[in-house]
């Protein structure tokens, strides 16, 4: 995506600087040019990392799409450069660059789904349910799945699962090993196999109702 023409919208943030805070009003979203951005949210009394974003990813778009307060706090993990789009210059971008506009709309759609689905995982209290729900999320987004069988193969790692579940690698490994011992999951170097995805769906549903 060529955004060179929009360099006048560039902004910089120093490492550790808060870009915006949860619950404050928002009127702009950001596209990362360099550096990483951490998104964190207070759930109960605990601060949870929702995501760590990298160059070419965007954040804060809900301010434009829903006119809503910030749903998370964004912190610069490195010295960060972004393009900042408010409503005014976003309209200029959309009207003057239809190809970019289409790509952004597709990104918006995916980001909205990812954020809401990730929040559903983090609100589960049971660590086993969190891990199981990550597999359900992967199942929902994986293309070309043979849904005539309950067996699923995911090209992912334990560290990836831990990231999505808001856990440490060791915590996720303990839960997944528990599933292995129950013969519900198989782990390989380059993939993880869930033997019965519907079993995980029933398990997560039961834990979510109790939450």
């Amino acid at each position: 995506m060529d955004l060179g023409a929009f360099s006048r919208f560039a902004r910089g943030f120093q490492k550790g600087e808060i870009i915006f805070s949860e619950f404050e009003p928002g009127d702009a979203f950001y596209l990362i040019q360099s550096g990483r951005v951490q998104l964190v949210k207070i759930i109960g009394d605990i601060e949870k990392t929702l995501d760590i974003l990298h160059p070419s990813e965007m954040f804060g778009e809900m301010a434009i799409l829903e006119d809503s307060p910030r749903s998370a706090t964004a912190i610069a993990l490195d010295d960060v450069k972004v393009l900042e789009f408010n409503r005014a210059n976003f309209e200029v971008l959309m009207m003057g660059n239809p190809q970019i506009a289409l790509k952004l709309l597709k990104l918006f759609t995916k980001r909205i789904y990812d954020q809401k689905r990730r929040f559903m995982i983090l609100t589960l209290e049971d660590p086993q349910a969190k891990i199981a729900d990550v597999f359900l999320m992967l199942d929902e987004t994986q293309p070309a799945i043979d849904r005539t069988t309950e067996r699923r193969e995911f090209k992912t790692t334990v560290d990836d699962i831990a990231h999505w579940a808001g856990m440490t690698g060791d915590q996720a490994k303990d839960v997944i090993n528990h599933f292995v011992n129950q013969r519900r999951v198989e782990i390989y170097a380059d993939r993880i196999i869930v033997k019965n995805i519907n079993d995980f769906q029933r398990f997560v549903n039961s834990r979510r109702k109790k939450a």
Side-chain angles (χ1 to χ4, degrees):
M1 188 182 297
D2 182 12
L3 291 170
F6 300 93
S7 59
R8 64 186 182 279
F9 303 136
R11 282 196 62 185
F13 297 93
Q14 295 182 346
K15 181 178 180 178
E17 187 174 353
I18 294 176
I19 300 170
F20 56 70
S21 297
E22 186 176 0
F23 303 123
E24 73 180 18
D27 63 356
F29 74 95
Y30 303 87
L31 183 63
I32 303 172
Q33 301 285 278
S34 64
R36 298 170 300 155
V37 173
Q38 180 184 24
L39 299 181
V40 300
K41 183 176 182 66
I42 302 298
I43 299 177
D45 295 325
I46 302 173
E47 184 178 87
K48 295 278 190 178
T49 296
L50 296 179
D51 215 344
I52 295 177
L53 305 178
H54 298 82
S56 81
E57 294 189 281
M58 67 176 66
F59 61 98
E61 65 275 4
M62 300 306 289
I64 297 289
L65 298 177
E66 292 188 351
D67 194 25
S68 58
R70 299 297 189 187
S71 60
T73 297
I75 305 168
L77 274 184
D78 312 299
D79 289 341
V80 170
K81 291 182 180 179
V82 300
L83 295 181
E84 181 183 69
F85 294 100
N86 56 32
R87 284 185 178 82
N89 58 34
F90 179 59
E91 289 179 6
V92 172
L93 171 67
M94 297 290 279
M95 295 295 292
N97 299 268
Q99 290 184 333
I100 291 177
L102 181 59
K103 290 180 180 180
L104 284 175
L105 288 173
K106 289 180 179 179
L107 285 172
F108 279 163
T109 302
K110 183 178 185 303
R111 289 286 294 157
I112 291 169
Y113 171 83
D114 288 349
Q115 287 183 2
K116 292 185 175 180
R117 192 62 182 85
R118 185 79 180 282
F119 182 71
M120 289 175 65
I121 294 169
L122 293 175
T123 53
L124 288 163
E125 295 184 2
D126 184 341
Q128 292 182 30
K130 286 184 178 180
I131 296 294
D133 202 22
V134 169
F135 286 118
L136 293 177
M137 178 192 72
L138 295 175
D139 185 54
E140 292 159 10
T141 56
Q142 189 168 246
I145 294 177
D146 178 7
R147 299 196 181 276
T148 62
T149 175
E150 296 174 331
R151 184 182 176 92
R152 296 289 189 273
E153 180 177 310
F154 300 105
K155 300 288 186 181
T156 190
T157 66
V158 173
D159 286 341
D160 288 336
I161 300 297
H163 169 71
W164 288 314
M167 297 180 179
T168 66
D170 288 340
Q171 289 171 331
K173 189 178 296 182
D174 287 344
V175 172
I176 293 175
N177 283 337
H178 177 71
F179 286 148
V180 170
N181 292 334
Q182 292 181 325
R183 302 183 183 278
R184 299 164 91 178
V185 165
E186 297 173 358
I187 301 180
Y188 298 92
D190 61 342
R191 67 195 190 280
I192 298 176
I193 292 175
V194 174
K195 294 186 176 181
N196 188 329
I197 196 69
N198 294 333
D199 174 49
F200 274 179
Q201 183 70 72
R202 289 188 291 269
F203 175 60
V204 170
N205 287 344
S206 70
R207 291 302 185 270
R208 187 161 279 129
K209 289 176 183 177
K210 293 178 181 179

